Amino acid sequence: MSSPAAALLKRELRLAARQRTELFMPLVFFIAAAGMFPLAVGPEPQMLRAIAPGIVWVCALLATLLSMPRLFNTDWQDGTLEQWRLSPTPMPLLVAAKVLAHWLTQGAPLVLISPLLALMFGLPADSSAVLVLSLLLGSSVLSSLGALAAALTLGLRGGTVLLVVLVLPLAVPVLIFGAGAVAAIEGGQSAAPHLSLLAAMAIAIALGAPWATAAALRIALDA
């Protein structure tokens, strides 16, 4: 990573550390939303184990969406994005640093806390490990998709609603393969096909999304 991109990553991490309310809001929502389901459906172990993968994944998606509308807004308002466009550093590289910072502060905590949720739902150790691995791969995809949607809706009236409308259909395959990996383990099958597809999606979007997001930001700046 070039020096400007590394400096941007460090800056975003420092800013996130200072804004602790925004930093912990998605994590608190993730825990609270997932924790309400056992209270609602009852303590039946078999039922909780059956619904756990889908619940954790849906809550992770919603928690990720909470922080997405603000991803580029401040940079757009204070002129930082204009400086990105004038910088000799390729704009997709700066976008990648921004998305990486978002994942480290918003996505990674969800992955780290997921074993506790798996324990709450009564998942065994092997299913918990697959859940963590699937979230590790899938949360990076969700961050990249959210960043692209945030760039496409930047400056638009009702941009938050449009962002959700854009991300949800694109996130469906991630949810299917992520929850399917855990369900496969629970059913005595291999989770490798689901995890392989998630890994392929993560690699593909890591290579392509920064360029698409940078192009969307240029369009927003020219509008």
Side-chain angles (χ1 to χ4, degrees):
M1 183 175 290
S2 66
S3 179
L8 175 62
L9 176 61
K10 294 177 182 178
R11 170 183 175 271
E12 293 297 325
L13 294 177
R14 286 197 300 267
L15 290 176
R18 295 172 185 171
Q19 300 169 347
R20 296 185 180 180
T21 301
E22 295 183 2
L23 179 63
F24 289 108
M25 188 191 325
L27 182 60
V28 172
F29 173 85
F30 180 57
I31 298 172
M36 294 299 290
F37 281 90
L39 300 177
V41 302
E44 174 59 37
Q46 290 299 114
M47 179 181 294
L48 290 179
R49 287 180 58 176
I51 65 176
I55 289 174
V56 173
W57 261 101
V58 169
C59 291
L61 170 60
L62 296 178
T64 302
L65 288 176
L66 278 179
S67 59
M68 280 305 172
R70 303 184 303 271
L71 186 60
F72 296 114
N73 269 338
T74 302
D75 294 330
W76 175 59
Q77 292 171 358
D78 63 14
T80 299
L81 293 183
E82 290 286 358
Q83 297 300 316
W84 286 14
R85 183 159 63 172
L86 298 175
S87 172
T89 303
M91 197 170 182
L93 189 57
L94 298 175
V95 169
K98 180 85 172 182
V99 175
L100 177 58
H102 175 273
W103 182 83
L104 289 173
T105 56
Q106 304 292 340
L110 305 184
V111 177
L112 294 175
I113 204 67
S114 60
L116 294 180
L117 296 181
L119 181 63
M120 179 179 65
F121 283 99
L123 291 178
D126 54 349
S127 298
S128 299
V130 171
L131 178 63
V132 172
L133 184 55
S134 66
L135 282 173
L136 180 63
L137 296 171
S139 60
S140 62
V141 178
L142 296 180
S143 291
S144 296
L145 290 177
L148 177 57
L152 290 171
T153 58
L154 186 62
L156 298 180
R157 180 177 299 178
T160 300
V161 177
L162 290 174
L163 186 150
V164 173
V165 171
L166 287 173
V167 171
L168 287 182
L170 297 175
V172 169
V174 183
L175 266 64
I176 291 174
F177 296 132
V182 184
I185 288 292
E186 287 291 294
Q189 301 175 350
S190 173
H194 299 84
L195 295 176
S196 297
L197 288 170
L198 277 177
M201 292 173 63
I203 294 172
I205 201 166
L207 295 176
W211 297 91
T213 304
L217 290 175
R218 292 190 186 97
I219 293 173
L221 291 173
D222 292 335

